[in-house]
Amino acid sequence: ITAGYVVIAAVGVILGLLGYFNWVMLWLFFLVILGGSFETIKAHAGMVKAACFPFSAEDSMFAAPMFKRVRNAYAGHFFFKISLTLLLAVNLFLVFVPITGRDTLTWHLPAMQDMVGTQHITFSQDVAGFYPWSPVLGEVLYAVPMAAFGNMTDPYIFQVVQFSTIILLLAMTFAFLEPYI
């Protein structure tokens, strides 16, 4: 998943430098990825369906298999897993809170809005902050969903991408710390 984000950002940089950073080109890129990954996506969807709906049509929603799966998921390191789940739940509620951070509002968001508005990575001196001289891979990663979905106001869709990176970081944290707990 992390490598996929890097690829999306890299393609965004290339499209931005060429002046083709727009929703049409981004959706064409997404369709190419979807077409090339269809079998993998289909297999993953089947695994998710089996994990979420392991019971037959005659079983109720509260049947034992679902309860057993949840109980088994939290078996061992219960407090650690509950802590991570609560952290994810709190962050999920914060995803759609309007952005108030000075850093984002002053530097990152204007750079993303410039890329989406001009369909080009301009490194413009007119944009405040470090945009005229800095690497912009993070800003491009967050500008891609803004451009693809035409989202230029709060709540920003890139906040969902930020949330998904928290899930990845927590999974890596768990994998690293689990043997020591």
Side-chain angles (χ1 to χ4, degrees):
I1 293 171
T2 305
Y5 284 154
V6 171
V7 169
I8 289 170
V11 167
V13 167
I14 292 167
L15 291 173
L17 291 174
L18 295 174
Y20 295 110
F21 192 81
N22 58 55
W23 70 272
V24 174
M25 295 303 288
L26 292 168
W27 277 103
L28 285 174
F29 169 69
F30 294 153
L31 288 174
V32 168
I33 296 297
L34 181 67
S37 306
F38 183 74
E39 290 301 319
T40 303
I41 293 169
K42 185 176 158 184
H44 285 274
M47 289 188 302
V48 169
K49 181 181 176 191
C52 293
F53 305 103
F55 36 81
S56 66
E58 36 299 326
D59 289 333
S60 74
M61 186 66 156
F62 302 102
M66 181 63 92
F67 176 75
K68 285 181 182 178
R69 285 184 185 274
V70 172
R71 187 182 67 205
N72 290 342
Y74 284 91
H77 312 300
F78 179 77
F79 180 73
F80 186 51
K81 289 178 181 178
I82 286 293
S83 299
L84 292 178
T85 302
L86 289 174
L87 184 63
L88 278 176
V90 167
N91 276 289
L92 179 61
F93 286 112
L94 295 175
V95 166
F96 297 107
V97 172
I99 296 172
T100 57
R102 180 180 171 274
D103 182 54
T104 301
L105 291 173
T106 305
W107 295 299
H108 302 292
L109 195 56
M112 291 184 279
Q113 290 172 331
D114 182 66
M115 284 181 242
V116 175
T118 63
Q119 300 182 7
H120 197 271
I121 297 176
T122 62
F123 298 104
S124 173
Q125 299 289 333
D126 297 332
V127 178
F130 59 87
Y131 181 51
W133 52 267
S134 76
V136 292
L137 194 62
E139 284 79 8
V140 171
L141 176 62
Y142 295 148
V144 165
M146 286 175 68
F149 294 100
N151 174 235
M152 295 296 285
T153 60
D154 267 327
Y156 290 100
I157 197 163
F158 71 80
Q159 292 171 277
V160 176
V161 176
Q162 287 176 323
F163 175 73
S164 69
T165 59
I166 292 170
I167 295 171
L168 295 171
L169 291 173
L170 287 178
M172 291 188 313
T173 300
F174 180 79
F176 177 76
L177 292 177
E178 196 258 342
Y180 302 107
I181 295 176

